[in-house]
Amino acid sequence: MGMLGLLVGVLAGMARLAFDVPQFASVQAAWHAALMVCAFFGTVISLERAVALARGWAYLAPASAGAGGLALLSGLPLSVAQAMFVAAAAVLVLGSVKVMQRQFALFTATLCVGASCWLLGTLAWIVDGAIQTAVPWWLAFLVITIAGERLELTRFLPVRAASAPLFMLVTGVVVAGAVTSLWWVQSGLMIFSAGLLALAMWLLRYDIARHNARQKGLTRYIALCLLSGYVWLSIGAVIGLNGGFVLSHPWRDAGLHAIALGFVFAMVFGHAPIIFPAISRVRIPYHPVFYLPLLMLHISLAVRVLGGGGDGAGLRQLGALTNAVALLLFIVTMVASIVRGRDQGKGQGRK
């Protein structure tokens, strides 16, 4: 269900840029963000949390998120999909609280904050009736969740006194910006963007990826995915500080996708070889070909961002089309690696 949300979400996004896509996807153009954030990432993130909790009720979150995507695709009343997304987010919040009770730490509290952003954003969408009201909250859900997962790994680095207080401060600014945007849109989005920029600087400064980039193989690949994502988070935040997150702004597409594609999907590319095996119990052996979809993602996103203003519709379309190809190439690469891992396992078994 999550992958279906991704597929239709990508096609719906292309429909928004005047591509000729199948009708089942074009009619979902207005729900592109909901399909990508709630139906896809909501399913994947809550599934990961459910596996970690190892409790049957926790799987209600990914099941509800995926069902919400199906409700959108099947043409059921919007309220049905919204209710499913609210249920998924609420269960994820509960699961995050349970994780925090097991191990109270800054990173577990951060994961709880991230899940709460998903819930609050979806509720804001229901109350206001405009999906753009949820966008800062949904971005905060993704960004803060990723930051919380990265924060966990800083435990392996020497303790820096300023690290934790700064992290709490910048995360608080991100949430404060999302809250403010409910009443004062432009001011809230400026605060939100400032928080994102500060968080990007924190990640570049304190994340272990800076050290792992000197390593080899999979460790280096993951580190470069992360560092490149932090750069895109910075670029998106700078665009936002210049008004790029406002609904009618010509740079809105560039700003939002610098974060949603450049940052979030770079994190997906980097973490997939670790998270997918943990969830699905399959091996994904590393191969240098992993860099191909990552490189295509960054180049295509740069083209899309360059077409963000003025008469750049052609560049935006070219960039968006190549974005989709990069995601497809990534999936194909992962599947091929899984097959290769199974073949290697069978060969070792025969030996």
Side-chain angles (χ1 to χ4, degrees):
M1 290 190 293
M3 292 302 295
L4 182 61
L6 173 63
L7 171 63
V8 182
V10 169
L11 291 174
M14 296 177 69
R16 294 171 66 91
L17 291 175
F19 280 98
D20 186 14
V21 300
Q23 185 179 6
F24 72 85
S26 63
V27 297
Q28 301 295 330
W31 313 128
H32 165 66
L35 287 168
M36 296 299 293
V37 176
C38 299
F40 174 60
F41 281 113
T43 299
V44 172
I45 291 172
S46 56
L47 179 59
E48 179 191 359
R49 201 70 45 84
V51 171
L53 281 167
R55 294 290 184 271
W57 59 264
Y59 287 90
L60 291 173
S64 297
L70 290 180
L72 282 178
L73 300 180
S74 60
L76 291 175
L78 178 60
S79 58
V80 175
Q82 291 173 324
M84 290 292 183
F85 293 147
V86 167
V91 175
L92 180 61
V93 170
L94 178 59
S96 301
V97 170
K98 292 294 184 181
V99 170
M100 188 168 59
Q101 290 175 341
R102 288 183 181 180
Q103 180 183 5
F104 184 78
L106 180 56
F107 77 89
T108 57
T110 302
L111 295 177
C112 193
V113 171
S116 299
C117 287
W118 181 21
L119 176 60
L120 292 172
T122 307
L123 290 173
W125 175 26
I126 294 172
V127 172
D128 186 72
I131 196 169
Q132 60 263 25
T133 306
V135 169
W137 290 99
W138 287 350
L139 286 179
F141 160 51
L142 298 175
V143 171
I144 292 175
T145 297
I146 292 168
E149 292 175 346
R150 298 309 306 167
L151 179 65
E152 179 182 6
L153 296 179
T154 61
R155 295 179 299 167
F156 300 104
L157 295 174
V159 176
R160 292 181 172 87
S163 174
L166 282 175
F167 183 87
M168 289 187 287
L169 175 62
V170 299
T171 304
V173 173
V174 172
V175 175
V179 172
T180 306
S181 70
L182 293 174
W183 291 276
W184 300 282
V185 177
Q186 293 191 3
S187 299
L189 292 177
M190 291 289 285
I191 297 170
F192 179 72
S193 302
L196 292 180
L197 181 59
L199 183 57
M201 295 300 102
W202 188 95
L203 289 165
L204 284 167
R205 173 66 179 85
Y206 292 108
D207 189 27
I208 196 172
R210 201 159 54 91
H211 302 270
N212 288 344
R214 306 187 188 100
Q215 304 299 319
K216 296 180 180 179
L218 179 61
T219 302
R220 179 181 175 85
Y221 165 75
I222 294 173
L224 293 178
C225 285
L226 300 176
L227 293 174
S228 61
Y230 302 156
V231 172
W232 278 116
L233 180 60
S234 304
I235 293 171
V238 169
I239 292 174
L241 283 171
N242 285 276
F245 292 157
V246 176
L247 184 60
S248 58
H249 200 284
W251 287 92
R252 179 177 167 85
D253 179 84
L256 293 181
H257 287 89
I259 297 172
L261 278 172
F263 172 68
V264 176
F265 270 97
M267 302 300 108
V268 172
F269 283 20
H271 287 121
I274 298 174
I275 293 177
F276 286 176
I279 292 175
S280 58
R281 306 292 189 264
V282 296
R283 292 181 64 243
I284 303 182
Y286 167 77
H287 192 279
V289 76
F290 285 10
Y291 282 101
L292 287 180
L294 179 67
L295 184 61
M296 180 177 287
L297 176 71
H298 292 323
I299 293 174
S300 61
L301 184 55
V303 171
R304 185 169 185 167
V305 170
L306 288 174
D311 298 323
L315 283 178
R316 283 197 300 275
Q317 285 188 320
L318 176 61
L321 178 61
T322 321
N323 290 158
V325 174
L327 298 183
L328 177 61
L329 180 60
F330 168 71
I331 293 171
V332 170
T333 301
M334 291 296 104
V335 171
S337 183
I338 291 171
V339 172
R340 186 164 60 91
R342 287 178 176 174
D343 290 342
Q344 289 176 352
K346 290 178 182 178
Q348 293 173 357
R350 285 194 294 269
K351 291 179 182 179

